[in-house]
Amino acid sequence: MSRRPPHIPQRTPIFVGCEGESEAAYLALLQELALANGAHVHLHIEPLTPGAGDPLARVERAIARLDRLRGRRTPFAHTFILLDSDQLQLNRDRADRARRAAEAAGLILIWQDPCHEALLLRHLDGRGARRPMTSADAEQALQRDWPEYRKPMTRPDLRRRLDLEAVRRAGAAHDELAGLLRILGLV
């Protein structure tokens, strides 16, 4: 008598574009936490640099990568892109075009205000409400509260300081991030 193999639920594929190594490591940490929390998800993490220097270029690159992946794999259930908001001031027209292109493509924008280091700062106990005005201010504040922080951090480096509780703190302080965290079963 043969036994049936156990049913293993298929993981829900989620596309997340990001600016670079730091964001990719952070997203890999979210993937690890989601799996440990029992979620059946797979983050397809796409670093969009080098070569895409502003939000519009990154959105266009994410759309091109999504187009290239279509037909080769199970369609993505959700699509996101992490972007630094400090770049919005550089060219308002290109920023508006980035928003429209993302919306037309179904990409949900997660604005890191003003940058990734500020987002990481919001993970730390008692720092969820911190809103540094500039990227330099964010990096200084993060360095004060997390002296071991170095850019770019790896997933294991991030894991030593950030846990599920820290991710939930950041989600409570950041609505756009909370949307991704809900899909990952983390909030």
Side-chain angles (χ1 to χ4, degrees):
M1 183 162 133
S2 67
R3 294 175 38 114
R4 290 177 77 155
H7 174 72
I8 300 172
Q10 184 175 355
R11 292 184 182 173
T12 302
I14 301 166
F15 176 93
V16 187
C18 61
E19 293 193 7
E21 292 177 50
S22 296
E23 289 87 349
Y26 174 73
L27 292 166
L29 173 64
L30 294 183
Q31 170 76 61
E32 176 186 316
L33 292 171
L35 293 175
N37 207 38
H40 295 285
V41 295
H42 170 72
L43 291 182
H44 180 93
I45 302 165
E46 279 282 340
L48 302 170
T49 52
D54 73 346
L56 178 58
R58 288 186 178 110
V59 167
E60 289 173 341
R61 180 167 283 180
I63 292 168
R65 293 213 175 142
L66 281 166
D67 287 344
R68 200 175 68 239
L69 291 167
R70 282 195 179 94
R72 287 200 248 168
R73 55 171 297 130
T74 304
F76 293 105
H78 307 279
T79 57
F80 294 89
I81 185 170
L82 286 168
L83 296 170
D84 291 350
S85 70
D86 64 352
Q87 296 187 359
L88 293 174
Q89 307 304 319
L90 301 177
N91 186 322
R92 284 282 186 199
D93 177 59
R94 286 182 66 81
D96 290 340
R97 288 172 47 203
R99 285 186 187 103
R100 288 192 304 272
E103 185 177 341
L107 266 170
I108 298 169
L109 299 173
I110 300 174
W111 292 106
Q112 303 176 110
D113 186 23
C115 62
H116 185 62
E117 286 71 26
L119 178 69
L120 290 177
L121 183 62
R122 292 181 200 116
H123 287 71
L124 304 181
D125 196 22
R127 300 296 188 256
R130 291 289 307 268
R131 298 282 184 248
M133 296 299 292
T134 67
S135 295
D137 292 343
E139 288 181 32
Q140 289 172 357
L142 185 60
Q143 194 64 53
R144 264 192 314 274
D145 292 331
W146 187 353
E148 302 81 19
Y149 178 79
R150 299 291 179 269
K151 189 174 181 172
M153 294 289 269
T154 64
R155 182 196 48 77
D157 292 335
L158 291 170
R159 186 70 169 109
R160 282 191 270 287
R161 183 72 190 258
L162 305 181
D163 57 11
L164 181 57
E165 183 180 328
V167 168
R168 288 178 172 162
R169 271 194 298 272
H174 194 291
D175 291 339
E176 295 163 337
L177 177 64
L180 173 59
L181 299 179
R182 269 190 294 284
I183 289 167
L184 298 178
L186 297 176
V187 294

